[in-house]
């Protein structure tokens, strides 16, 4: 029998390797940007066309390459950054495997123009599917221009796998931001389809953050600074009151490299625990500097997952650092600060629940006021904060009186004073009502969304089974990928109250819906819920339960245009203020606007 093992041609081997390094336009951009940083550039300009599918072009004013290096750089394992095995353990540059350009050139049409400062002429080389197609001298300023055209032109399976331009562009922006956040001293610009998306002049870190995320950030950041046990921590943490509903701006960098580190994220959330409202997440930009020998970066080719040898020490140090800073900037009660001054570095045991740092004594300062009406006792009535002001006394509202539906409901207020509550619906969209301190205007759709979200979430968490509303069975047929997702969340949908079964292939039958839900076209409903669900999954990386609760709430909530009766408004109002966070929708939109008596008086002063 003939020998059957043969060596793959280099182009094929490169293409296979490329799969590991270059998954999408954003991963190509990341590698190219990192090369520009490694080359010592002080200015980088990125031009993107069609979310990187047609063109990714990076121009830098870095070291440039000699003619020979320009030819070599596309070969696999061609790198100027490591020479021997030992170098692997002391990496200070971003790239080092010498794989990136070889990978990009295997799956795209690439043009490199480069010139070193000491050379009079530049050199240009074109490579297509790993083959050099053209070489020539060229005129160019010192530095490098790398243009990557038609990524995956020769790997249709990958090209088809790319997401919409919006989704791919989001990844590109993410990578651009990550590089920009570790290199504030480099001036960076990003253009997409001739539109400038970012113009980031050379700056200090704080200004860079503001330049990227908006002027609102000027007020939001508390600096972090710590150096102990050979570990340096710096950066900023967002004030807890600006925490977001989604895990948006959370950045860890280790030795100038963006990393993901759920364990350290836990440390941050733990440090802020009592200061964050229920389902919100802190913003942070945290930079760690650790001896490279104590990091194993090599565990993943795209290198965002890394492991520290001293994980637990870093966890404890980070938590203390954050609490110290909060204390210094008066965000946290002094009582905690005093204890934290001593820098308690006992590491928690990984995997075990971690003690709440704020359990000692009452927390007398909470920048949010107290959100939850269930914790009314925690709020001093003489100085109500935030929402507390709004639902002062509301606990006494009785259920809407069913016996006299048309009469305005009366209920006693705190000190025995009587008051009449009327709800007024404005433009079939907003609910207006008086409250003790003034008046409040509520967006009916958003309020309902919040109520449903909390209800679904608690059902999902407690697995309480809810009664279902019988329905004339309706079949729903979905695309194979949607059907796959639906199968995954079938159990959760049942907990929420759907009676739903898989009929085989991509078809499902729905026999019942959650109590209180109006009968409607199930095909539309499911498609819509799945649409929301997928979007949340891609954009926000939400946990399954949260995602489902949100998607359902968004889909099912009453819309503007729905006329509501007095009782309906009353119960919406009561349910809203029984929520943990009555003021914001799950995705962070404002639900209500309140005016105090004084504010109303002000409006009439003139
Ligand atoms: P790595 O960065 O891992 O060394 P790459 O494939 O990304 O591997 O790059 C190969 C080599 O090409 C680098 O080591 C560097 O010497 C050179 N190079 C790449 N991009 C640039 C650039 N923009 N300016 C100067 N040299 C570059
Ligand atoms: Mg590189």
């Amino acid at each position: 029998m003939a020998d059957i093992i043969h060596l793959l041609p280099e182009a094929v081997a490169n293409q296979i390797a490329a799969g590991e390094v270059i998954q999408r336009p954003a991963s190509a951009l990341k590698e190219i940007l990192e090369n520009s940083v490694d080359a010592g550039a002080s200015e980088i300009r990125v031009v993107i066309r069609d979310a990187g599918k047609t063109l990714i072009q990076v121009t830098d004013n870095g070291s440039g390459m000699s003619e020979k290096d320009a030819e070599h750089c596309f070969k696999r394992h061609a790198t100027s950054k490591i020479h021997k095995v030992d170098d692997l353990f002391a990496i200070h540059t971003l790239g080092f495997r010498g794989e990136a350009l070889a990978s990009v050139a295997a799956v795209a049409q690439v043009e490199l123009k480069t010139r070193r400062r000491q050379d009079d002429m530049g050199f240009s080389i074109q490579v297509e599917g790993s083959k050099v197609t053209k070489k020539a001298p060229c005129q160019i300023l010192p530095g490098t221009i790398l243009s990557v055209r038609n990524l995956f032109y020769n790997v249709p399976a990958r090209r088809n796998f790319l997401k919409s331009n919006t989704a791919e562009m989001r990844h590109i922006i993410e990578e651009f931001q990550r590089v920009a956040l570790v290199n504030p001293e480099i001036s960076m610009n990003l253009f997409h389809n001739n539109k400038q998306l970012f113009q980031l002049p050379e700056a200090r870190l704080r200004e860079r953050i503001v330049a990227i995320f908006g002027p609102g950030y000027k007020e939001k950041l508390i600096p972090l600074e710590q150096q102990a046990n050979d570990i340096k921590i710096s950066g900023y943490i967002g004030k807890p009151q600006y925490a977001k509903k989604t895990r948006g701006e959370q950045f860890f960098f280790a030795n100038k490299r963006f990393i993901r580190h759920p364990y350290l994220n836990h440390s941050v959330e733990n440090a802020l625990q009592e200061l964050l409202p229920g389902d919100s997440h802190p913003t942070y930009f945290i930079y760690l500097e650790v001896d490279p020998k104590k990091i194993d970066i090599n565990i993943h080719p795209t290198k965002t997952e890394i492991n520290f040898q001293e994980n637990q020490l870093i966890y404890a140090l980070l938590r203390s650092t954050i609490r110290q800073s909060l204390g210094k900037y008066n965000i946290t009660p002094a009582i905690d600060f005093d204890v934290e001054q001593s820098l308690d570095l006992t590491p928690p045991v990984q995997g075990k629940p971690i003690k709440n740092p704020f359990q000692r004594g009452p927390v007398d300062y909470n920048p949010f006021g107290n959100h939850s009406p269930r914790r009314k006792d925690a709020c001093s009535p003489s100085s109500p904060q935030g929402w507390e002001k709004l639902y002062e006394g509301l606990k006494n509202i009785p259920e809407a009186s069913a016996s006299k539906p048309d009469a305005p409901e009366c209920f006693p207020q705190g000190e025995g004073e009587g008051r009449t509550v009327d709800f007024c619906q404005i433009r079939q969209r907003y609910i207006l009502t008086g409250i003790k301190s003034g008046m409040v205007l509520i967006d009916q759709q958003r309020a309902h969304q919040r109520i449903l979200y909390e209800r679904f979430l608690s059902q999902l968490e407690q697995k309480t089974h809810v009664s279902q509303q019988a329905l004339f069975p309706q079949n729903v047929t979905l695309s194979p990928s949607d059907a796959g997702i639906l199968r995954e969340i079938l159990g959760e949908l049942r907990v929420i109250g759907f009676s739903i079964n898989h009929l085989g292939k991509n078809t499902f039958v729905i026999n019942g819906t959650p109590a209180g839900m109006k009968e409607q076209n199930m095909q539309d409903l499911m498609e819509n819920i799945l649409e929301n669900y997928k979007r949340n999954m891609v954009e926000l990386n939400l946990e399954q339960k949260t995602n489902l609760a949100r998607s359902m709430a968004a889909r099912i909530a009453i819309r503007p245009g729905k006329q509501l009766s007095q009782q309906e408004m009353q119960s919406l109002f009561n349910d809203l203020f029984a929520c943990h966070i009555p003021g914001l929708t799950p995705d962070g939109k404002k639900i209500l606007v309140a005016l105090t008596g004084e504010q109303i008086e002000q409006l009439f002063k003139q």
Side-chain angles (χ1 to χ4, degrees):
M1 198 171 153
D3 296 334
I4 52 170
I5 296 179
H6 57 96
L7 290 174
L8 292 172
E10 180 158 330
V12 178
N14 280 343
Q15 228 183 64
I16 294 171
E20 242 195 305
V21 187
I22 312 295
Q23 291 98 10
R24 51 170 25 107
S27 26
L29 175 67
K30 168 180 185 281
E31 296 294 339
I32 301 165
L33 280 177
E34 291 187 343
N35 282 343
S36 298
V37 172
D38 285 343
S42 64
E43 265 182 60
I44 300 177
R45 175 187 148 101
V46 181
V47 174
I48 302 288
R49 221 171 289 145
D50 304 320
K53 294 174 184 171
T54 322
L55 175 73
I56 302 167
Q57 184 181 67
V58 176
T59 305
D60 69 49
N61 64 350
S63 64
M65 282 177 259
S66 69
E67 184 175 333
K68 200 152 170 225
D69 283 349
E71 286 188 48
H72 274 323
C73 73
F74 292 109
K75 303 221 167 87
R76 201 130 62 94
H77 306 304
T79 178
S80 54
K81 300 166 193 171
I82 52 174
H83 299 278
K84 51 186 193 301
V85 170
D86 273 0
D87 293 348
L88 267 179
F89 301 98
I91 297 292
H92 290 280
T93 55
L94 295 165
F96 64 87
R97 294 160 153 250
E99 271 177 351
L101 289 184
S103 299
V104 175
V107 293
Q109 294 152 345
V110 178
E111 181 187 40
L112 169 74
K113 289 182 172 175
T114 189
R115 181 186 144 197
R116 298 182 301 178
R117 222 154 288 270
Q118 65 265 39
D119 299 335
D120 297 333
M121 281 292 278
F123 179 73
S124 125
I125 174 167
Q126 289 180 19
V127 186
E128 202 174 312
S130 296
K131 289 201 182 59
V132 176
T133 53
K134 201 172 160 193
K135 291 191 270 192
C138 71
Q139 290 290 351
I140 166 191
L141 290 172
T144 300
I145 307 176
L146 193 79
S147 312
V148 176
R149 295 198 167 79
N150 304 321
L151 188 68
F152 300 135
Y153 78 101
N154 54 354
V155 201
R158 284 223 159 235
R159 195 159 175 99
N160 294 337
F161 176 78
L162 293 179
K163 301 247 166 58
S164 67
N165 281 6
T166 322
E168 293 299 341
M169 202 51 210
R170 215 167 14 244
H171 288 290
I172 289 205
I173 290 174
E174 230 170 62
E175 293 296 353
F176 178 86
Q177 287 178 343
R178 289 171 187 170
V179 175
L181 282 169
V182 262
N183 299 288
E185 71 289 351
I186 301 180
S187 139
M188 290 181 63
N189 291 295
L190 173 65
F191 296 82
H192 182 220
N193 294 343
N194 299 324
K195 216 173 108 207
Q196 181 154 24
L197 300 186
F198 289 95
Q199 181 182 13
L200 309 175
E202 171 197 346
R204 276 175 305 164
L205 178 59
R206 194 186 191 107
E207 284 114 46
R208 174 59 51 104
I209 294 174
V210 171
I212 296 176
F213 296 104
Y217 274 70
K218 265 191 207 132
E219 311 304 320
K220 293 185 189 172
L221 303 173
I222 306 167
L224 301 174
E225 202 63 68
Q226 183 68 263
Q227 178 131 34
N229 299 58
D230 276 344
I231 299 162
K232 191 173 163 215
I233 298 176
S234 60
Y236 293 92
I237 178 136
K239 290 181 185 163
Q241 66 264 43
Y242 298 111
K244 299 231 162 140
K245 300 292 129 188
T246 56
R247 291 183 182 277
E249 281 93 63
Q250 301 192 326
F251 296 89
F252 278 120
F253 302 96
N255 297 354
K256 300 197 115 198
R257 195 187 299 270
F258 171 81
I259 61 164
R260 284 176 217 283
H261 212 296
Y263 182 61
L264 290 186
N265 175 66
H266 187 275
S267 164
V268 180
E269 301 217 339
N270 182 264
L272 293 169
Q273 213 166 43
E274 279 296 301
L275 300 172
L276 291 173
D279 55 353
S280 66
H281 303 282
T283 294
Y284 55 80
F285 308 88
I286 296 176
Y287 297 74
L288 305 165
E289 275 170 56
V290 189
D291 181 348
K293 289 199 184 69
K294 295 184 178 169
I295 302 183
D296 179 9
I297 8 173
N298 215 1
I299 56 177
H300 194 275
T302 56
K303 293 168 264 167
T304 54
E305 274 83 29
I306 73 161
N307 226 353
F308 298 103
Q309 278 168 21
E310 299 173 318
N311 252 342
Q312 302 193 349
L313 178 67
I314 298 177
Y315 183 107
L317 186 64
L318 182 57
R319 191 182 53 181
S320 308
T321 307
I322 293 172
R323 280 195 254 156
Q324 273 188 15
S325 286
L326 292 173
K328 245 188 255 170
Y329 290 83
N330 279 331
I331 307 288
T332 192
I335 175 176
D336 285 293
F337 182 47
D338 292 343
V339 178
E340 292 305 322
Q341 284 279 35
S342 61
L343 207 62
D344 165 21
L345 288 182
T346 4
V349 181
Q350 202 163 353
K352 284 251 172 78
I354 289 149
K355 191 167 72 77
N356 176 350
F358 295 105
Q359 265 161 3
R360 288 155 280 123
V363 178
D364 54 0
Y365 175 73
N366 177 341
F368 302 100
N370 259 297
H371 288 251
S372 168
R374 291 171 204 133
R375 288 169 51 195
K376 195 172 173 233
D377 51 324
C379 176
S380 127
S382 58
S383 61
Q385 300 195 17
W387 306 121
E388 206 66 41
K389 230 185 228 164
L390 295 177
Y391 40 77
E392 212 184 322
L394 286 177
K395 302 274 282 193
N396 300 327
I397 302 176
E399 290 297 309
S401 149
S403 56
K404 37 175 185 167
D406 294 321
E409 291 87 15
C410 294
F411 61 90
Q413 277 281 319
E415 292 92 48
E417 56 191 286
R419 198 164 81 94
T420 304
V421 169
D422 266 317
F423 292 93
C424 173
Q425 195 182 19
I426 297 167
R427 304 180 73 187
Q428 301 195 327
R429 178 162 190 183
Y430 304 105
I431 299 169
L432 176 71
T433 189
I435 52 172
K436 195 175 175 191
S437 61
M439 59 172 248
V440 61
L441 192 58
I442 298 170
D443 180 309
Q444 65 187 46
Q445 178 180 13
R446 292 181 179 183
H448 198 210
Q449 212 175 325
R450 162 58 63 185
I451 295 164
L452 291 173
Y453 169 73
E454 293 202 4
R455 185 180 302 159
F456 290 143
L457 200 60
S458 95
Q459 282 169 2
L460 285 168
E461 268 157 11
Q462 294 157 19
K463 293 217 154 75
T464 43
H465 285 268
V466 264
S467 57
Q468 289 154 13
Q469 185 183 315
L471 183 80
F472 188 71
Q474 286 189 34
N475 282 5
V476 171
T477 302
L478 301 164
S479 71
S481 67
D482 279 4
I485 298 178
L486 190 60
R487 275 207 302 276
E488 269 171 39
I489 56 176
L490 223 48
E492 276 78 15
L493 284 172
R494 290 191 186 119
V495 170
I496 284 177
F498 279 99
S499 164
I500 179 168
N501 286 305
H502 187 204
L503 283 185
K505 271 204 123 172
N506 305 322
T507 304
F508 300 79
V509 59
I510 297 173
N511 297 305
T513 57
M517 206 180 111
K518 288 263 157 27
E519 195 169 323
Q520 50 180 302
N521 182 328
M522 286 298 131
Q523 181 78 32
D524 280 359
L525 178 75
M526 280 301 148
E527 280 177 5
N528 255 296
I529 291 176
L530 287 170
E531 201 45 52
N532 266 310
Y533 187 83
K534 283 187 291 187
R535 192 162 357 110
N536 290 346
M537 200 156 64
V538 175
E539 287 178 16
L540 310 170
N541 250 329
L542 292 181
E543 206 205 330
Q544 194 182 43
K545 287 192 184 102
T546 317
N547 187 352
L548 186 62
R550 252 206 214 191
S551 309
M552 292 264 303
R555 173 58 201 149
I556 296 172
I558 51 167
R559 313 266 137 178
K562 169 145 177 58
Q563 186 143 11
L564 300 174
S565 69
Q566 281 293 319
Q567 287 103 315
E568 284 171 325
M569 288 191 272
Q570 171 88 63
S571 68
L572 195 77
F573 182 83
N574 291 352
D575 289 349
L576 178 65
F577 283 99
C579 283
H580 287 287
I581 304 180
L584 297 171
T585 62
D587 51 350
K589 296 203 186 85
K590 200 188 270 188
I591 293 176
L592 46 85
V593 176
L595 285 179
T596 62
E598 290 128 53
Q599 285 168 324
I600 299 172
E601 274 163 36
Q602 275 300 321
L603 291 177
F604 288 99
K605 262 194 194 147
Q606 276 255 342

